[in-house]
Amino acid sequence: MATIKNNFDLLVEKLEAQANADGSAAAFQDINLQEVFIEIEDSLEQYRAETEKKHNDSKMELANIILSI
Amino acid sequence: MENITTDLVSKEDLTNKIEEWFKGFYTINSTSSLQNIKTEVSGFINNLKDNLMFLLEYPYVDKLYRDTFYSYYSSKTIDYSRNCVRVSIFNPSVNDPNLFDTEEIKKAYLGFIVLRPTPPKVIGRNVINPLAFISHDINICSLKINTTANYHKLLASGFPHSTQDGETITCAETTLWSIVEYFSNKYSNYSPLLPSEIHQILSHFSYVRQIPSSGLAAAQLSFALKKIGFGVKIYARQAFTSEFEDILRIYVESGIPVIGVVQNASIGHALNIVGRTSYSKEEYDKIVPIPARPDLNIKNIAKCNTKLVFVDDNYPPYQTAEITSPTSYYSSPIWHSCTITSFIVPLYPKVYMEGGEARKIALDLLTRLNAFKNRTVAIKTFLTSSRSYKDYLLKLTDIDPTLKNLLLCLSMPKFIWVTEIFDEDQFLNNKCEGLIILDATEPKQFHIIGSVFEDNFLKKDTNSGVKALKINTTTFTSYNNNLTYYGDN
C-alpha cells in the first residue's frame, strides 16, 4: 500500500529539495542538536523538581489565609 | 405579577431616579437607607462617562440575586422583594424616540448593572463595556454575554462583576462567581456557578455554618475551582520569590483571569486579575536585558511593569494598579500596604505544562542554539489555543508564505505555549521575527511543535524525531488576541 504523505512532510521534502539544488547550508550545522536537547531536558528536570516543592509550599500557605473583606 | 416599568435618564439624574424607584417599588422610606443607596450607586457610576444614558427597567429577574433570595433572604423576617431593577447603559445617541430602533440600540449598548433590593449593598451582577468608563486604555479578558434591554436582544461585552452583599456573599464568593461566570459564558466545558452551589460544593470542606458568610479560606477557592473541572495551579509569593510576578504576568498575557489573594497584617481579600494596561515605551525601556550568552541579551517582557487590571467586588470593575501595590485605588489607607501574596490559576485541565516551564525552555533554547548572535532580543511567552493561533496565522499577511504553510500544517494540541522573539527595537511595533511553539500537554519532556530561529526552522517530538530546515523569514505581526484592547489607539 502506498504511504500517504501529510502536508507537512510534503512541504519539507520540497524545501529540502530546493535547498539541495541551491547548495544551501544545513540548518543549525554548527550545533549538535541532540546534545542541546539533553542539556535542556536535564535542566528542565531539575527546575520541575524545585517547582513541585514550591507548589507544595504554596498549597500549605493558602490553607491558612481567610478571605473575608 | 407586576408589569414592566421603564425610564430613560441621564447620569446626572440617575441616583435620584433610583431613590424614587427604591421608595416606590421596595417601600424603602428611611432617609439614611436611601442616602446610603445613593452613595453606593454614585460611587459606582462616578468613573463612567458623564454623557451616557441609562435605561431603568423593573421588575427584572436576576439569576444571581434570585439564588441568594431563595437560599437566604426569603428566610429572614424582614421582607425582601425577589425582583431587581436593571440599569442598561447606552452611548448618548440613545433617546426616547429611538428606544425601539434595534440597530441604534445595538450600536449604543454598553452593558448593564443589576440593582438588588439589599440596601445598602445594592450593586449586583453587572457586565460593563470598558468603553463606558472615562479611562479605558486597558487590555482584558472579555466575553460577550447575551442579554436584553427594552426588549431588544443584545450582547454585553466586558468581564462579569458584582459587589458583595455582605451576608450571603463576601469577596471570596463574588470573586469565584465572577471568574466562573466568565469561563462558563465563554467556553462550553464549564457550567456557571451560583452562590448556593458554591456553598454546596464547599460544604464538605467546612466545619462551621456557611451562611451568613464570614468569608472563605483561600484554599477553598482552589478546591471549588478544581471540583468544577479546572486544572488549578497555586503560586505563593513566599515560595516562588523572584519568579512569582513573572509567572503571574505570563498568565495575564495568556488571557487567563486569575484569582489574586491580597493581604496585609489585618486584611485578607480576593480579587480577579483580568488584564493589563498597554506596553509603553517608558516601561519597556526600563526592562534590564539579561545576558544569555556573551553575544546575546534577552529582554523578558514579563518584566515590563504595566499596571494590572482588577475586578474587585469592593470597587467598580477594571481598577488598575501596579503589581506591587494592587490596592492603591482604595480610598482607605489601611489597604495601601496590601500585596499580592498568592494567586490561583484556573487552567484548562489538559494544560500539563505550566508558565514557568514554558519560559524556561524558551530561554534555554535561545541560549543554546547560537541564534541571534550579537543581538538584544525581547521575548514574550503566553498560552493560547491552537484554534485561535492557527486562525491568526491564516490571517497574517506579512509572514513569508512558505513559513505560514509550514506552521499551519503542524499538528497541535488544544493548547500551546508560544514564545515570540522580537528584535529589541521592534517589540513596540508588534513585529516579531522568531517563534517557539511548545506542546502544553507534555509534562515530562519537551516537544517543540515548531520554532523559528532566524532562518532556521526546528521541530522536535518523541514520535517523529527532530526536523531542522533552512527557511526564508521576515518580521511578522505578533499575536495579540488573548486580551481585548479597549483603548483609542
Side-chain angles (χ1 to χ4, degrees):
Chain A
M1 197 171 74
T3 309
I4 301 169
K5 288 189 177 167
N6 63 52
N7 291 3
F8 178 78
D9 288 342
L10 287 170
L11 200 53
V12 167
E13 263 185 21
K14 196 175 135 192
L15 286 169
E16 283 175 339
Q18 200 179 323
N20 284 338
D22 298 347
S24 312
F28 300 109
Q29 62 172 359
D30 55 341
I31 296 168
N32 182 334
L33 285 173
Q34 288 307 334
E35 255 177 39
V36 167
F37 296 145
I38 289 167
E39 278 173 24
I40 293 176
E41 282 188 352
D42 287 348
S43 138
L44 190 59
E45 202 173 317
Q46 193 188 336
Y47 177 84
R48 279 178 173 146
E50 287 166 10
T51 306
E52 202 47 47
K53 187 184 174 311
K54 289 176 186 174
H55 276 304
N56 284 333
D57 292 347
S58 298
K59 271 187 263 178
M60 299 296 284
E61 191 171 324
L62 219 62
N64 298 320
I65 304 170
I66 299 294
L67 307 164
S68 58
I69 298 185
Chain B
M1 189 189 287
E2 294 161 285
N3 286 324
I4 295 166
T5 308
T6 61
D7 209 341
L8 185 69
V9 295
S10 66
K11 183 178 170 186
E12 199 184 349
D13 298 329
L14 182 62
T15 48
N16 285 335
K17 183 57 71 179
I18 287 170
E19 179 184 23
E20 186 189 317
W21 278 36
F22 269 68
K23 261 190 202 169
F25 293 125
Y26 301 135
T27 52
I28 294 170
N29 291 309
S30 146
T31 315
S32 64
S33 267
L34 290 167
Q35 190 50 49
N36 288 340
I37 292 168
K38 283 175 78 175
T39 307
E40 180 86 359
V41 173
S42 59
F44 192 80
I45 63 165
N46 192 32
N47 291 329
L48 295 179
K49 288 173 183 166
D50 288 333
N51 57 358
L52 298 177
M53 297 300 288
F54 298 84
L55 177 78
L56 288 86
E57 292 171 293
Y58 177 88
Y60 175 66
V61 178
D62 180 58
K63 59 179 178 179
L64 182 60
Y65 172 66
R66 278 286 171 103
D67 179 71
T68 58
F69 175 81
Y70 289 120
S71 62
Y72 175 71
Y73 287 106
S74 60
S75 66
K76 293 177 75 175
T77 310
I78 292 175
D79 281 339
Y80 285 85
S81 169
R82 58 189 187 145
N83 295 322
C84 293
V85 172
R86 182 174 58 184
V87 182
S88 300
I89 309 167
F90 294 99
N91 274 323
S93 58
V94 167
N95 47 38
D96 280 317
N98 65 18
L99 263 179
F100 288 90
D101 179 341
T102 305
E103 287 314 306
E104 187 59 50
I105 290 287
K106 271 186 184 169
K107 228 170 26 187
Y109 188 60
L110 291 170
F112 66 90
I113 308 164
V114 171
L115 300 178
R116 308 177 288 235
T118 55
K121 303 280 193 178
V122 295
I123 306 288
R125 187 168 73 94
N126 60 83
V127 178
I128 306 176
N129 189 318
L131 295 174
F133 289 87
I134 297 164
S135 170
H136 53 83
D137 190 18
I138 54 173
N139 304 265
I140 59 160
C141 313
S142 75
L143 57 79
K144 287 190 166 67
I145 196 165
N146 285 310
T147 184
T148 63
N150 204 42
Y151 326 113
H152 302 282
K153 283 172 104 174
L154 299 167
L155 288 171
S157 165
F159 197 92
H161 172 266
S162 172
T163 67
Q164 52 184 283
D165 62 13
E167 295 190 43
T168 60
I169 47 173
T170 64
C171 64
E173 288 96 344
T174 44
T175 299
L176 192 56
W177 166 81
S178 159
I179 204 162
V180 176
E181 183 76 357
Y182 169 80
F183 279 104
S184 62
N185 276 284
K186 194 149 181 167
Y187 306 106
S188 56
N189 306 48
Y190 308 103
S191 304
L193 197 58
L194 293 166
S196 66
E197 293 164 332
I198 294 174
H199 291 138
Q200 202 179 351
I201 288 171
L202 294 177
S203 63
H204 304 293
F205 197 164
S206 301
Y207 308 102
V208 291
R209 71 177 186 193
Q210 294 168 286
I211 292 182
S213 177
S214 50
L216 299 174
Q220 287 179 303
L221 294 185
S222 170
F223 178 82
L225 287 170
K226 184 177 151 285
K227 267 290 204 196
I228 56 174
F230 289 97
V232 184
K233 294 303 283 185
I234 302 167
Y235 297 83
R237 184 183 287 274
Q238 215 170 359
F240 281 84
T241 57
S242 59
E243 266 192 305
F244 179 81
E245 291 181 5
D246 285 12
I247 295 175
L248 172 55
R249 287 190 184 278
I250 286 173
Y251 285 116
V252 168
E253 198 58 52
S254 302
I256 299 173
V258 302
I259 295 179
V261 173
V262 296
Q263 283 181 286
N264 65 13
S266 57
I267 290 170
H269 180 56
L271 38 66
N272 282 318
I273 304 169
V274 304
R276 57 162 173 78
T277 53
S278 297
Y279 294 111
S280 68
K281 182 167 185 336
E282 193 191 348
E283 291 302 338
Y284 176 69
D285 287 347
K286 283 184 197 161
I287 305 173
V288 180
I290 306 295
R293 295 193 310 258
D295 60 355
L296 173 68
N297 290 320
I298 297 177
K299 285 180 94 162
N300 180 3
I301 295 305
K303 299 278 183 204
C304 192
N305 193 28
T306 53
K307 287 183 175 178
L308 298 180
V309 181
F310 298 95
V311 168
D312 180 340
D313 69 345
N314 290 327
Y315 273 80
Y318 320 126
Q319 299 296 322
T320 57
E322 305 264 344
I323 198 166
T324 48
S325 52
T327 45
S328 57
Y329 51 85
Y330 275 70
S331 52
S332 165
I334 63 160
W335 284 83
H336 293 172
S337 59
C338 284
T339 55
I340 304 173
T341 55
S342 308
F343 63 91
I344 302 167
V345 190
L347 284 171
Y348 180 73
K350 291 177 184 67
V351 173
Y352 302 133
M353 179 184 279
E354 50 186 300
E357 291 169 32
R359 187 195 52 168
K360 175 163 176 51
I361 295 168
L363 283 170
D364 281 355
L365 281 169
L366 265 170
T367 306
R368 289 174 162 88
L369 285 180
N370 266 351
F372 303 103
K373 283 179 185 167
N374 302 314
R375 302 269 300 274
T376 296
V377 296
I379 60 161
K380 184 171 83 171
T381 300
F382 54 86
L383 181 74
T384 188
S385 72
S386 53
R387 210 165 65 159
S388 302
Y389 196 72
K390 286 200 172 176
D391 183 61
Y392 143 84
L393 285 172
L394 192 67
K395 290 172 182 161
L396 263 185
T397 53
D398 56 355
I399 191 170
D400 176 77
T402 309
L403 176 58
K404 182 176 179 169
N405 278 344
L406 210 49
L407 293 170
L408 277 172
C409 61
L410 289 167
S411 170
M412 296 186 189
K414 191 174 172 79
F415 283 94
I416 50 174
W417 281 104
V418 179
T419 296
E420 290 179 330
I421 306 160
F422 303 77
D423 180 79
E424 163 182 49
D425 297 329
Q426 290 299 316
F427 174 72
L428 291 172
N429 296 331
N430 283 322
K431 296 284 183 190
C432 63
E433 59 178 279
L435 267 183
I436 303 168
I437 305 172
L438 297 173
D439 177 359
T441 64
E442 181 47 65
K444 291 290 174 197
Q445 301 164 30
F446 74 100
H447 290 165
I448 307 170
I449 291 173
S451 60
V452 179
F453 295 89
E454 295 183 308
D455 56 353
N456 298 303
F457 176 87
L458 178 66
K459 177 181 184 301
K460 173 209 172 268
D461 64 58
T462 40
N463 289 345
S464 52
V466 177
K467 182 59 72 184
L469 293 169
K470 278 282 177 198
I471 47 163
N472 292 322
T473 54
T474 51
T475 59
F476 51 92
T477 305
S478 65
Y479 181 79
N480 287 298
N481 301 355
N482 278 336
L483 298 168
T484 307
Y485 176 57
Y486 284 93
D488 295 322
N489 293 332

